[in-house]
Amino acid sequence: MSDPGERPQSAVELKEQIEAERRGLPLIVYRDGEGIQRIVALESDRGELWVGRSPSADVSLPADEQVSKLHARIEHVGADATLVDDGLSRNGSFVNEERVGGRRMLADGDVIRVGRTRLRFRAPGGDADSTVIAGDLASGAGVSPAQRRVLVALCRPFKDGPGFATPATNAEIAAELHLSIDAVKTHLRALFEKFGLADAPQGGKRMELVRRAMGAGLITARDL
């Protein structure tokens, strides 16, 4: 979930998000004023979710003085969601740093900014237009057997649960699979491309690959 200027997710936070995504509901993931990760599911019986500084907002951001009491809302049907800013906010709402005038359809992975707060939209039950792999990621579409072995080795440290695990290094993967480090790098570059992470920041790229592979069920605890 790492964004520029945000501290990366810990292994515990990553595990928390993976477990939430397995419910199949769209999510809003953000950090509150104390830097604690919060996850709010877009429940199907609600239909909308309010974002604002008010304690009554579904996503309440009392520590961000640049956010209006009722700043914006997210309307949703199934995995489809739209950010709505009807001019109630003083400072406006942004999606991927583009100001929203009225309504903006959200795609999986979009970053909403209100005031100083960034909220990432996740749609784990979305359609093939999702920014995760197009098509059925869970069946490993487009991932070769050799690439999947590298993925399993990358995720291996998470075998015993979240703890303080971090993804395996290139050297660790190479030793496990009896590959050269250059071969591991080649496989990882291909995986980053297939998972839509080719241009992601280097700092959180490997952790995000683990999150997407495990969150979609491509790599399970049994594999590890």
Side-chain angles (χ1 to χ4, degrees):
M1 190 193 70
S2 300
D3 296 318
E6 300 275 342
R7 68 179 173 86
Q9 281 178 301
S10 67
V12 172
E13 291 170 337
L14 173 64
K15 183 68 172 177
E16 179 186 24
Q17 184 175 337
I18 288 171
E19 290 175 351
E21 289 177 355
R22 284 177 176 158
R23 296 180 60 198
L25 296 174
L27 308 170
I28 296 295
V29 186
Y30 67 101
R31 294 193 184 280
D32 65 16
E34 297 180 351
I36 299 171
Q37 176 175 278
R38 302 294 183 186
I39 299 176
V40 179
L42 279 62
E43 302 286 351
S44 58
D45 60 345
R46 293 285 304 278
E48 68 176 17
L49 177 151
W50 278 94
V51 179
R53 207 173 69 251
S54 170
S56 64
D58 302 284
V59 176
S60 183
L61 306 169
D64 192 338
E65 69 276 4
Q66 295 182 19
V67 173
S68 300
K69 286 186 176 180
L70 292 177
H71 195 104
R73 70 180 186 276
I74 298 171
E75 297 178 350
H76 59 96
V77 178
D80 295 325
T82 302
L83 179 69
V84 182
D85 188 325
D86 291 331
L88 295 176
S89 64
R90 298 191 312 271
N91 297 317
S93 304
F94 300 79
V95 174
N96 302 328
E97 292 306 318
E98 295 181 4
R99 185 157 187 158
V100 174
R103 308 173 70 88
R104 167 75 176 262
M105 181 73 82
L106 296 174
D108 180 40
D110 278 350
V111 177
I112 302 164
R113 181 171 65 79
V114 293
R116 299 189 309 272
T117 305
R118 289 179 169 83
L119 312 100
R120 183 175 291 277
F121 174 71
R122 291 285 294 127
D127 60 23
D129 290 329
S130 169
T131 55
V132 186
I133 294 181
D136 187 5
L137 179 60
S139 68
V143 176
S144 72
Q147 290 164 357
R148 190 175 185 281
R149 287 193 291 272
V150 169
L151 263 181
V152 171
L154 181 74
C155 299
R156 186 83 64 196
F158 295 88
K159 178 179 180 179
D160 297 323
F164 296 97
T166 57
T169 66
N170 290 345
E172 289 168 339
I173 296 170
E176 176 179 335
L177 300 180
H178 305 288
L179 297 173
S180 69
I181 289 179
D182 284 344
V184 171
K185 289 179 178 179
T186 297
H187 285 310
L188 284 173
R189 279 196 295 270
L191 287 165
F192 290 142
E193 185 71 33
K194 290 177 180 180
F195 280 76
L197 293 169
D199 298 322
Q202 287 295 332
K205 189 182 262 190
R206 298 167 75 90
M207 188 71 90
E208 179 67 8
L209 180 56
V210 170
R211 187 192 67 76
R212 293 190 180 190
M214 295 185 70
L218 178 58
I219 306 299
T220 67
R222 183 177 299 177
D223 296 316
L224 306 179

